[in-house]
Amino acid sequence: MILTASPIACFEWPDDMAAYSRPLPGYLYAEEPDEIGIYRVVGMAPIPEPAEDPEDPTGLYRLRDASGELLYVGISSNPGIRWEQHAADKPWWPEVADKSVNWFRTRQEAEAAEVAAIKAEFPRNNATHAASPGFTSESWTEARIDRSKGAPSFARQVAALIEEEVQSGHLLPGDRLLTAPEIAAHLRTSTTVVGKAMKILRDMHIVESCPGAGVFVADLRRADGHGCEVHR
């Protein structure tokens, strides 16, 4: 006979119906179990302050064409070498007529400035982080998951929130969505939940995934139903 020991306590895993004998890092749990003996998630644990980064001077560079249009934003500890790489593998490089660099004390500071610059300035050839300004709408910034409906509904809720942004016109055909980690962080859920939501939206032909570029609002006005080349 094989005896299987029962766990001393059961802690909810928020993305599915399972419960485990150890609490999940990053979540706060109720002080007492519910009527069936499971400690339920009541919130997110505070994020610890990161340790101070060592000095790692990193440049944030901008590349513009002759008319001043911003072509690309990037970071590097040696922009000159990075530009040589771009010259070898970027088809838009011959358009570059102006280069500028702003230096930051650490790479982490430069990375944060890069994300902010791409989101605010919309360089033509950046894909990563260049999400549509529709995600600044009041309805999206205030959007949250209703946890009272239970974990199995989380993906459907995420899909419904994005569908509403599309239906309301805040997100337009060809607009790039935020990345899965960015959506997960904003809605305080997991990237697994966001991935399931994206599948729901793809099945509904509301969004489409474009390899190497991101996820975009589908352009159903096109005869083939695809619009991956439309990057706002």
Side-chain angles (χ1 to χ4, degrees):
M1 179 183 297
I2 299 177
L3 298 178
T4 303
S6 298
I8 296 174
C10 289
F11 293 87
E12 179 184 19
W13 187 289
D15 292 339
D16 55 40
M17 293 299 293
Y20 299 87
S21 59
R22 292 196 306 270
L24 184 67
Y27 290 88
L28 297 175
Y29 287 84
E31 295 183 0
E32 299 293 335
D34 63 12
E35 64 276 5
I36 60 173
I38 297 178
Y39 289 84
R40 298 294 181 181
V41 171
V42 296
M44 302 293 295
I47 300 175
E49 291 292 331
E52 184 175 353
D53 289 331
E55 294 283 342
D56 183 18
T58 302
L60 169 69
Y61 61 87
R62 292 174 173 84
L63 305 175
R64 294 181 169 85
D65 66 11
S67 69
E69 181 182 0
L70 186 60
L71 298 174
Y72 191 82
V73 172
I75 60 171
S76 176
S77 58
N78 191 326
I81 291 179
R82 186 63 175 147
W83 295 338
E84 291 178 1
Q85 295 171 341
H86 288 332
D89 61 23
K90 301 298 185 185
W92 45 261
W93 180 259
E95 299 180 59
V96 176
D98 179 74
K99 311 178 188 75
S100 62
V101 182
N102 295 101
W103 287 93
F104 292 83
R105 184 177 60 88
T106 68
R107 187 171 186 85
Q108 184 179 28
E109 292 173 353
E111 288 174 346
E114 178 190 29
V115 172
I118 292 172
K119 289 181 177 180
E121 300 172 38
F122 299 101
R124 187 204 305 169
N125 297 295
N126 283 89
T128 305
H129 307 303
S132 161
F135 282 101
T136 62
S137 68
E138 183 177 355
S139 56
W140 172 257
T141 57
E142 294 181 354
R144 293 294 183 271
I145 286 177
D146 183 355
R147 297 185 178 276
S148 68
K149 295 182 178 180
S153 75
F154 289 178
R156 293 193 297 274
Q157 289 188 57
V158 174
L161 288 170
I162 294 175
E163 180 184 10
E164 174 59 28
E165 293 300 289
V166 174
Q167 297 295 337
S168 66
H170 294 139
L171 292 173
L172 301 174
D175 278 351
R176 182 183 288 109
L177 271 60
L178 295 171
T179 64
E182 289 171 329
I183 293 174
H186 176 67
L187 298 177
R188 297 185 178 182
T189 187
S190 71
T191 54
T192 299
V193 166
V194 176
K196 293 177 181 178
M198 292 301 107
K199 183 179 185 306
I200 293 171
L201 292 169
R202 285 195 299 270
D203 290 345
M204 297 171 65
H205 305 292
I206 292 174
V207 305
E208 59 181 334
S209 298
C210 302
V215 179
F216 294 79
V217 178
D219 190 349
L220 299 180
R221 296 167 299 180
R222 291 172 50 88
D224 59 5
H226 296 288
C228 283
E229 73 278 9
V230 182
H231 296 173
R232 294 180 182 274

